[in-house]
Amino acid sequence: MTRYSAWGRYLHADSEQVALAWQSDISFEEKLYLARGLGRSYGDSCLINQGAMIEMAALNRFIAFDRKTGVLRAEAGVSLADILTISVPAGWFLPVTPGTKFVTLGGACANDVHGKNHLQDGSFGCHVKSLGLARSTGEVLELSREQQPDLFAATIGGLGLTGVILWVEIQLTPIESAYVDDASKQCHNLAELLASFDEARATHQHRVAWLDCNAKDAAIGRSIFSAANYASLGSLANLQTAPLSVPFSPPISPLNKITVTAFNWLYFRKLRAAEKQSLQHYNQFFYPLDNIFHWNKIYGRRGFLQYQCVISDDVPQGLFKLLKRISDSGQASFLSVLKELGDSNSPGLLSFPKAGYTLALDFPNKGRDTLNLLNDLDAITREHAGRVYPAKDARMSKEMFYAGYGDKLEQFNQYRDPAFSSDFWRRVTT
Amino acid sequence: MNIVIFGATSAIAQAWAQNNAHGNSVYLIARSENKLSQVAADLQVRGATVYSQTLDMAQAQDYRAVVDAVYQALGQVDIALFAQGSLPDQRELEKNQELVPEMMQLNTMSYLLPASLIGERMAVNGAGTLVLISSVAGDIGRQSNYFYGASKACVSTFAHGLRNHLFKFGVHVLTVKPGFVDSPMTAHLPNRTGPLWAKPEKIAADIDRAISKKKNQLYTPWFWQIILGVIRCVPEAIFKRLSL
């Protein structure tokens, strides 16, 4: 048995290690399976205690790349970072990217990841043309919107529960340079922030805000708002900056209310002027944390919990209540990100994005206090027709899951492969 | 750069080739046509010009013809990597001796013969690097894998002599000695995790560094040099009683 952890280092599982070196090697016995990519899910959607973990790392071959049309086909273990290494110099970027490029193609599909451009461009699944799926029956199927569309819909955002995704074909986005034009500004409160999102909607493809979750009262929503478009100026080179690496997890986390407040204060004032325009390399704008390998270790041995929800109804009220509850709790949240989501035209049945605003936050694991706080956040989310993102979740209740995804669950269950499960699935459905 | 890889479908060879694809010409040699075409497609997308040839190196081959074909396609060879091999079960080999010659063909003969030929041609050019993947198992004979260890000891000693011979011609020979590598070769062994187990990507990165630094012998990861150093100091009177 091998010990597996999730990115939050809060939940762990012991599973049998099943390595997959070639697509044709796949075979199934009487076990419960789950495929694993780079393990960037925060909670237990990438864990299966006492089951068999199929490690996809060796299935990392490109299959075909048409440099003229931007259509790329690769094995599911290929990472988004690998794709960018060969696509950017050829003038192509990922149509949708999450906050890290260290996720696999399979993982990006299984979680139907989204980025800072969801309103305009949808989620990852919107750009998947087809994929290959291995089922425990021994079938290896090619799925798309035309071929077995229902199973395709269950697999996109399906958390790996329909089988093993073997390969994926996606349509990349054309770019003229590896840089983005970024316009950043300070926002002093929530109203100003939401107005900034509104104003930039028509002119900027990527919009995101970093929030200071310790702000109180009238300053709730204090943030730095960034809006960006792909730039025309700049080369198509991949810039390698020297990465830092957190070598071990400290016995006591250096993150506490004091250090985080200080960091937030400094970060907010980093923008010396109220507004700033800059040309940023894509690594800087899309993947700032990727330069610190193993940044998750900085939370210490107890790990951390990430909470990401979407607020759909009465967004200003809902966001205000969330931020106030967090600020009142005094539980330092280091990285808090806000993005706007649109109506999803993704095929995914269990896809997280829906029209509204999504807030993502980290909390150091303080045991009961943290869990109680997150339950309160769940309640607020529910009041505002929202839901919680499975890829980040380590503790939502069965009721909360059903409230968010219940309408599609019956349909999803028809396509779930009974030989596949995860600790997340067992937690929210039994 | 012009590169030839023997055993191109092995885990270490694939990882190394992925790092060394862009802008290079690569000649791939392996047994399975299906697997070879997958590796070729991957390297092509990564920017390599790819040639490939299926060859069952577990059977005796005329490597003169093979090396001729490589030079015909590439013109010259800058790096030759030898990564083919198998790790049969020791007890199996003791019971069924017929399996031993096949293992020796694959692990040893298919290294010595083409490496010698390519070495000579590199010498004519006055440049080139030969990389032979041996193993820490070749350093000492252990009761748990001495047939395999012997096949690798042969490769190590051969590479040692070839390095000596080719040095005066400006050709470099690197002997790579990995420890435990998590790959299909070791997939039948239990629990391939823990600090002693390395990923093929790690071995490949170490090989890259060793080539550029013109190292003679590479233990990868580095701590195997210490482990083997200690084991070699154990007096035989004691070692023969151990169950390593």
Side-chain angles (χ1 to χ4, degrees):
Chain A
M1 282 292 174
T2 305
R3 189 117 246 248
Y4 288 93
S5 296
W7 193 247
R9 302 172 84 244
Y10 168 68
L11 294 175
H12 314 278
D14 292 306
S15 318
E16 184 189 329
Q17 180 188 13
V18 178
L20 194 61
W22 304 91
Q23 290 182 45
S24 49
D25 280 351
I26 197 150
S27 71
F28 296 96
E29 294 160 28
E30 281 295 308
K31 295 182 184 137
L32 273 185
Y33 290 88
L34 185 67
R36 183 178 180 90
L38 286 162
R40 252 58 174 189
S41 290
Y42 288 77
D44 50 3
S45 59
C46 63
L47 298 173
I48 178 158
N49 200 35
Q50 301 302 312
M53 191 107 257
I54 303 176
E55 290 184 353
M56 302 296 292
L59 230 59
N60 68 350
R61 296 172 201 94
F62 287 102
I63 299 172
F65 177 37
D66 186 329
R67 283 171 159 77
K68 289 205 192 67
T69 61
V71 174
L72 179 120
R73 182 182 284 217
E75 289 181 329
V78 169
S79 72
L80 301 189
D82 293 337
I83 293 177
L84 290 171
T85 305
I86 55 130
S87 74
V88 169
W92 297 94
F93 199 74
L94 294 162
V96 166
T97 178
T100 171
K101 52 188 198 265
F102 298 125
V103 300
T104 58
L105 257 187
C109 287
N111 293 282
D112 199 12
V113 296
H114 61 274
K116 304 167 175 58
N117 57 341
H118 187 267
L119 191 70
Q120 190 172 326
D121 299 315
S123 56
F124 199 82
C126 297
H127 306 272
V128 171
K129 296 172 69 100
S130 57
L131 58 89
L133 183 76
R135 306 270 270 172
S136 62
T137 51
E139 295 168 282
V140 175
L141 306 161
E142 178 166 333
L143 309 176
S144 66
R145 286 170 190 75
E146 296 81 40
Q147 291 168 281
Q148 300 203 49
D150 295 331
L151 181 54
F152 181 70
T155 303
I156 300 288
L159 304 170
L161 299 170
T162 60
V164 179
I165 300 175
L166 295 176
W167 57 264
V168 182
E169 183 169 278
I170 54 170
Q171 171 67 62
L172 298 173
T173 283
I175 47 166
E176 293 173 86
S177 94
Y179 290 80
V180 297
D181 282 317
D182 170 87
S184 290
K185 60 188 278 224
Q186 291 176 357
C187 295
H188 299 88
N189 54 55
L190 187 58
E192 201 184 321
L193 175 58
L194 291 176
S196 303
F197 267 98
D198 277 341
E199 279 154 25
R201 190 176 293 129
T203 50
H204 288 78
Q205 195 172 359
H206 306 273
R207 294 165 302 138
V208 66
W210 173 82
L211 276 76
D212 177 2
C213 278
N214 285 326
K216 297 218 177 293
D217 309 316
I220 286 182
R222 176 169 66 204
S223 52
I224 294 188
F225 172 75
S226 270
N229 285 314
Y230 297 115
S232 315
L233 288 178
S235 76
L236 283 169
N238 282 303
L239 269 186
Q240 291 312 331
T241 47
L244 305 167
S245 183
V246 179
F248 61 89
S249 100
I252 303 172
S253 170
L255 302 178
N256 57 45
K257 185 136 193 274
I258 299 171
T259 55
V260 172
T261 305
F263 175 90
N264 287 4
W265 188 88
L266 283 169
Y267 192 91
F268 189 70
R269 271 149 192 75
K270 184 174 75 116
L271 261 196
R272 260 176 260 281
E275 293 187 19
K276 182 179 160 193
Q277 317 260 13
S278 61
L279 190 68
Q280 293 185 13
H281 190 266
Y282 76 76
N283 265 323
Q284 212 181 333
F285 180 77
F286 290 107
Y287 312 114
L289 272 183
D290 281 351
N291 264 330
I292 308 174
F293 291 160
H294 308 303
W295 62 262
N296 55 340
K297 287 195 192 156
I298 213 164
Y299 282 94
R301 256 195 214 118
R302 300 190 72 187
F304 66 103
L305 286 98
Q306 153 114 171
Y307 187 82
Q308 180 165 5
C309 64
V310 55
I311 297 284
S312 290
D313 253 5
D314 194 1
V315 167
Q317 253 311 304
L319 285 181
F320 184 83
K321 277 154 56 177
L322 281 178
L323 292 170
K324 178 147 173 38
R325 181 67 189 87
I326 293 158
S327 166
D328 287 346
S329 76
Q331 296 197 36
S333 182
F334 198 31
L335 294 160
S336 323
V337 180
L338 186 75
K339 301 191 283 279
E340 185 178 5
L341 297 179
D343 274 316
S344 187
N345 60 350
S346 165
L349 289 178
L350 296 184
S351 276
F352 161 72
K354 61 188 283 202
Y357 277 75
T358 176
L359 186 69
L361 320 123
D362 286 342
F363 296 99
N365 173 22
K366 290 191 161 48
R368 266 291 93 204
D369 285 343
T370 312
L371 294 175
N372 287 338
L373 170 61
L374 298 191
N375 284 337
D376 287 349
L377 300 184
D378 272 0
I380 298 171
T381 300
R382 258 178 103 162
E383 276 163 30
H384 292 266
R387 55 193 179 192
V388 170
Y389 191 14
K392 310 284 184 91
D393 176 62
R395 36 55 59 200
M396 86 168 115
S397 68
K398 191 173 159 190
E399 292 70 39
M400 186 63 191
F401 180 66
Y402 274 76
Y405 301 92
D407 56 334
K408 296 275 169 58
L409 261 179
E410 205 182 309
Q411 198 182 346
F412 178 76
N413 268 321
Q414 287 175 43
Y415 297 101
R416 198 170 61 81
D417 188 320
F420 284 77
S421 188
S422 63
D423 288 352
F424 170 83
W425 190 252
R426 291 196 276 225
R427 173 165 57 80
V428 298
T429 60
T430 51
Chain B
M1 262 203 311
N2 295 308
I3 299 170
V4 59
I5 305 179
F6 290 78
T9 53
S10 89
I12 296 176
Q14 283 187 73
W16 185 83
Q18 286 177 338
N19 290 346
N20 289 279
H22 185 68
N24 293 330
S25 294
V26 194
Y27 195 106
L28 308 173
I29 300 172
R31 177 180 51 173
S32 158
E33 181 166 350
N34 180 294
K35 292 181 179 174
L36 203 49
S37 66
Q38 291 178 55
V39 174
D42 176 47
L43 297 180
Q44 254 154 6
V45 172
R46 290 173 195 265
T49 307
V50 182
Y51 306 88
S52 53
Q53 178 186 352
T54 54
L55 187 69
D56 186 358
M57 289 172 278
Q59 309 303 321
Q61 302 286 351
D62 177 7
Y63 285 98
R64 271 175 296 239
V66 176
V67 171
D68 278 345
V70 171
Y71 273 84
Q72 181 90 322
L74 295 179
Q76 71 167 54
V77 176
D78 299 300
I79 300 181
L81 175 74
F82 294 83
Q84 67 277 29
S86 74
L87 178 56
D89 179 58
Q90 171 67 30
R91 307 298 157 222
E92 267 301 306
L93 292 169
E94 288 165 17
K95 276 195 298 218
N96 302 323
Q97 286 218 323
E98 312 79 54
L99 298 172
V100 178
E102 210 176 84
M103 185 200 67
M104 294 303 293
Q105 273 297 333
L106 181 59
N107 290 6
T108 308
M109 298 308 278
S110 73
Y111 279 64
L112 272 49
L113 301 179
S116 174
L117 292 168
I118 295 177
E120 291 309 311
R121 291 176 87 150
M122 283 180 171
V124 167
N125 258 338
T129 303
L130 292 141
V131 182
L132 285 79
I133 301 185
S134 178
S135 168
V136 295
D139 276 17
I140 34 116
R142 294 160 59 205
Q143 60 90 31
S144 57
N145 65 3
Y146 51 90
F147 273 110
Y148 175 76
S151 73
K152 287 305 195 182
C154 187
V155 170
S156 294
T157 301
F158 168 82
H160 194 190
L162 191 66
R163 179 161 48 246
N164 184 203
H165 168 60
L166 291 177
F167 178 73
K168 52 187 163 306
F169 298 105
V171 177
H172 184 60
V173 178
L174 167 65
T175 313
V176 179
K177 292 180 174 178
F180 296 130
V181 183
D182 183 7
S183 74
M185 180 185 254
T186 54
H188 60 284
L189 299 175
N191 210 14
R192 298 179 310 285
T193 50
L196 287 183
W197 283 88
K199 297 272 175 207
E201 290 72 34
K202 163 75 175 145
I203 311 298
D206 280 355
I207 293 176
D208 272 334
R209 231 168 292 132
I211 291 175
S212 63
K213 286 187 176 168
K214 285 208 143 84
K215 271 190 86 115
N216 299 314
Q217 181 172 255
L218 170 71
Y219 283 91
T220 163
W222 60 272
F223 51 77
W224 287 103
Q225 180 147 29
I226 300 180
I227 296 176
L228 267 307
V230 168
I231 296 181
R232 265 194 292 261
C233 289
V234 174
E236 184 61 11
I238 297 175
F239 188 87
K240 67 182 181 184
R241 291 173 160 83
L242 301 175
S243 274
L244 276 181

